[in-house]
Amino acid sequence: MNPVIHEIFQKTRLLTKELNTTLKKHDLFASQWTVLYCVYQYGEMTLTDIWKYLNVEAPTITRTVKRLEELGWLKTYVGKDRREKMVRLAEEAETRLPNIKDSIERFEERTVEKLTKEEQTVLMELLKKLDLEGR
């Protein structure tokens, strides 16, 4: 087993756990935040766009979006092609997102505070070089 891959898995689990702790005060989970942030960042999207971007299976995204809609974070409607479902932020989400983003930014700053800006850049470049799609 490659120790680099093992360390990445371990850090990913820890990051998710800590992010869930940060998001708890906003009544959200990391998986929900990734969907909200995706829609916030890119605007109105189809369910297909979301699952492809996040590399998550379609049924998982469908369930997450449905739950976020029930909680008042997202709105969905049928797109031009009646087979596609469009997703956008609900008004309440737009008013609550700045506060959540502040919490996330503090979490991110604490997470990388021991890395210099140069080390953060190198880490990002190295992570992008990982071949996860077998190319």
Side-chain angles (χ1 to χ4, degrees), residues 13-77:
R13 285 189 198 100
L14 182 58
L15 280 169
T16 301
K17 179 182 173 224
E18 293 300 318
L19 181 55
N20 278 329
T21 300
T22 298
L23 289 169
K24 187 174 186 173
K25 67 182 169 194
H26 302 288
D27 297 319
L28 288 171
F29 293 101
S31 57
Q32 294 169 323
W33 169 249
T34 59
V35 173
L36 282 175
Y37 186 74
C38 182
V39 177
Y40 169 78
Q41 194 73 10
Y42 296 102
E44 191 174 86
M45 303 175 78
T46 65
L47 283 174
T48 302
D49 292 336
I50 296 170
W51 66 258
K52 283 183 178 178
Y53 177 79
L54 294 175
N55 296 309
V56 178
E57 293 184 15
T60 302
I61 292 301
T62 301
R63 280 191 305 274
T64 302
V65 166
K66 184 176 187 222
R67 181 70 180 136
L68 287 168
E69 188 173 26
E70 290 167 357
L71 294 170
W73 290 98
L74 296 175
K75 295 282 185 187
T76 62
Y77 61 95

Side-chain angles (χ1 to χ4, degrees), residues 118-135:
E118 293 79 20
E119 289 171 329
Q120 291 176 44
T121 300
V122 169
L123 177 59
M124 183 65 112
E125 289 170 1
L126 292 171
L127 289 171
K128 286 180 178 180
K129 287 178 87 171
L130 291 178
D131 184 9
L132 298 178
E133 296 182 27
R135 293 185 209 174

Side-chain angles (χ1 to χ4, degrees), residues 64-123:
T64 302
V65 166
K66 184 176 187 222
R67 181 70 180 136
L68 287 168
E69 188 173 26
E70 290 167 357
L71 294 170
W73 290 98
L74 296 175
K75 295 282 185 187
T76 62
Y77 61 95
V78 176
K80 292 175 192 158
D81 177 342
R82 300 195 76 43
R83 295 170 293 182
E84 69 184 4
K85 189 177 241 183
M86 301 299 297
V87 180
R88 65 176 171 80
L89 292 178
E91 283 183 38
E92 181 180 339
E94 295 200 29
T95 60
R96 293 177 66 190
L97 276 175
N99 190 26
I100 298 168
K101 280 180 53 189
D102 288 344
S103 295
I104 299 290
E105 286 171 9
R106 285 192 301 278
F107 162 75
E108 290 172 346
E109 287 168 9
R110 284 191 316 271
T111 301
V112 297
E113 71 186 353
K114 292 182 182 177
L115 299 176
T116 66
K117 293 292 181 193
E118 293 79 20
E119 289 171 329
Q120 291 176 44
T121 300
V122 169
L123 177 59

Side-chain angles (χ1 to χ4, degrees), residues 1-19 111:
M1 184 163 177
N2 187 319
V4 172
I5 301 302
H6 177 73
E7 189 65 26
I8 291 171
F9 276 131
Q10 292 301 95
K11 292 297 185 221
T12 300
R13 285 189 198 100
L14 182 58
L15 280 169
T16 301
K17 179 182 173 224
E18 293 300 318
L19 181 55
T111 301

